[in-house]
Amino acid sequence: MSFSRPDIIRPPSEWRSYFLPLTRGCSNNSCTFCGYYGSKLQIRDADDSKSEIDALALFTRSGIRLPNVSKVVYAVAQGWDGNRVFLQDGDALVYPFSKLKEVLQYLNEKMPRVERIGTYATPQDILRRSSDELKELKQLKMGIFYTGLETGDDELLQKIGKGANSHDLAEAGKKVKEVGISFSVTIILGLGGVEGSKKHALETARILTEIDPDYVGALTLTLVPGTPLYEQWQRKEFHPLSPFQSLEELRLIVENSNFTDCFFSSMHASNYLSVRGKLPSDRERMLRELEAVLAARDPSLLRPEFLRGL
Ligand code: SF4
């Protein structure tokens, strides 16, 4: 089957990157809340990826467009500043290691101005690689891994089909940090529903403290049609949080997690309120902002439901 280019799904901070697909789908397609649930992993041929790098290099150097290259390549390359590349798709770190090195070496050779390469990575992908292999990737300018932590609650991790427990998550995080690759994790407000909210928040704060990542992005659960969690909600087996309950959860996480130096934000479009800052230095200010909105209980202070995105 020929490789079909995935839609661009990226971390908010990668908005200025060039998006180079190496895979399509996710190797861990079992998370019950995720749009990748049940997706079939496709691995792109390394030569195909290298052809795209050739086309990109030619375009950035001289503006020449080749007829047989996807229009998406030029649409993305048009406004690109040449600094960052993000590897698609759901967990591009699953790409076979020798091929990954081959593509990154080629990218470095053809586009030496690229400063940082980033990718989504599951904890399983990270743990599969040795520290030496991760160091090799770092030398090839792999600068950041984005990992869906979701929660630190082991019972909930099992329930949502994450395929990893909190110990795995912590081990993966430590491994990445030890080799000097930046580690950015996402957590999902509301994932435990009403009944599991407090445990989810406290266990998430615990695992965040243990990992001490460079970046934490809080997302708010969005129920996606076609996923098992959506079906559970339809059957009234899952009880989602209200917007203000999700902010209470966020407050609990900010209050109870301890970091050395972390940029913590809820800027993602799925959130009802955007709070951001450095932790620990901005903790009091962030909590004050949350408190003010929680005390007012005024829905007009929140992002309206129709403007929330995935
Ligand atoms: S590992 Fe991430 S991308 Fe893959 S199914 Fe789970 S949440 Fe989705």
Side-chain angles (χ1 to χ4, degrees):
M1 199 201 326
S2 69
F3 181 80
S4 57
R5 196 178 190 92
D7 292 339
I8 295 172
I9 297 176
R10 58 160 178 85
S13 55
E14 293 285 334
W15 64 278
R16 289 166 67 185
S17 296
Y18 181 79
F19 304 104
L20 178 68
L22 296 188
T23 63
R24 180 191 169 92
C26 168
S27 67
N28 182 62
N29 58 5
S30 58
C31 300
T32 61
F33 60 89
C34 178
Y36 283 99
Y37 179 83
S39 67
K40 193 165 166 19
L41 180 73
Q42 276 188 42
I43 301 281
R44 190 181 190 183
D45 190 70
D47 287 338
D48 194 19
S49 308
K50 284 156 78 178
S51 301
E52 179 168 332
I53 293 168
D54 284 335
L56 180 64
L58 181 66
F59 179 76
T60 51
R61 213 173 40 240
S62 53
I64 295 173
R65 296 171 190 244
L66 300 174
N68 54 346
V69 170
S70 161
K71 286 191 175 67
V72 181
V73 169
Y74 299 118
V76 180
Q78 191 92 53
W80 184 47
D81 62 10
N83 292 333
R84 291 183 176 184
V85 173
F86 183 74
L87 307 176
Q88 291 179 272
D89 194 17
D91 67 329
L93 190 62
V94 78
Y95 201 61
F97 187 67
S98 59
K99 288 188 183 192
L100 181 58
K101 275 200 323 182
E102 184 184 331
V103 172
L104 296 191
Q105 266 154 3
Y106 199 73
L107 180 63
N108 277 284
E109 192 185 306
K110 296 285 170 181
M111 313 214 63
R113 270 189 50 218
V114 167
E115 291 169 359
R116 188 183 84 174
I117 300 165
T119 181
Y120 283 128
T122 64
Q124 296 92 320
D125 295 332
I126 295 166
L127 292 173
R128 204 178 293 125
R129 303 272 71 94
S130 70
S131 294
D132 285 343
E133 286 174 331
L134 294 180
K135 279 181 200 154
E136 284 186 69
L137 296 181
K138 182 174 162 55
Q139 277 163 7
L140 292 168
K141 298 189 188 164
M142 183 70 89
I144 187 163
F145 287 155
Y146 297 90
T147 293
L149 188 76
E150 333 305 4
T151 179
D153 177 353
D154 277 313
E155 215 181 322
L156 186 54
L157 282 165
Q158 197 177 13
K159 224 184 206 173
I160 60 168
K162 188 70 196 169
N165 58 30
S166 66
H167 176 75
D168 300 330
L169 295 166
E171 287 304 302
K174 283 178 203 157
K175 203 168 183 181
V176 174
K177 290 199 72 191
E178 268 164 25
V179 299
I181 293 177
S182 295
F183 197 45
S184 177
V185 302
T186 49
I187 55 172
I188 303 184
L189 304 174
L191 191 60
V194 173
E195 295 80 358
S197 179
K198 190 168 179 194
K199 186 167 172 230
H200 166 48
L202 293 177
E203 288 295 289
T204 299
R206 174 189 66 79
I207 195 76
L208 288 175
T209 302
E210 192 174 342
I211 297 175
D212 197 14
D214 304 288
Y215 304 93
V216 176
L219 278 62
T220 300
L221 179 68
T222 303
L223 292 157
V224 181
T227 59
L229 194 59
Y230 183 91
E231 303 299 329
Q232 285 167 32
W233 171 55
Q234 295 277 291
R235 293 194 301 268
K236 303 199 182 342
E237 294 164 10
F238 177 78
H239 307 118
L241 298 190
S242 71
F244 288 109
Q245 284 172 322
S246 80
L247 295 185
E248 282 164 3
E249 209 170 73
L250 179 60
R251 175 176 60 185
L252 214 47
I253 294 170
V254 174
E255 266 171 355
N256 287 281
S257 44
N258 292 302
F259 303 98
T260 312
D261 182 19
C262 174
F263 182 74
F264 188 111
S265 80
S266 66
M267 293 183 313
H268 188 268
S270 62
N271 293 304
Y272 291 101
L273 184 73
S274 178
V275 181
R276 55 189 282 184
K278 280 276 196 184
L279 289 178
S281 55
D282 294 329
R283 187 193 312 272
E284 296 314 315
R285 193 255 308 150
M286 288 164 72
L287 287 173
R288 270 200 309 277
E289 286 174 18
L290 278 166
E291 284 299 342
V293 174
L294 282 168
R297 296 269 156 177
D298 176 358
S300 73
L301 297 173
L302 306 179
R303 175 179 281 134
E305 201 64 50
F306 73 93
L307 284 182
R308 286 180 66 225
L310 276 174

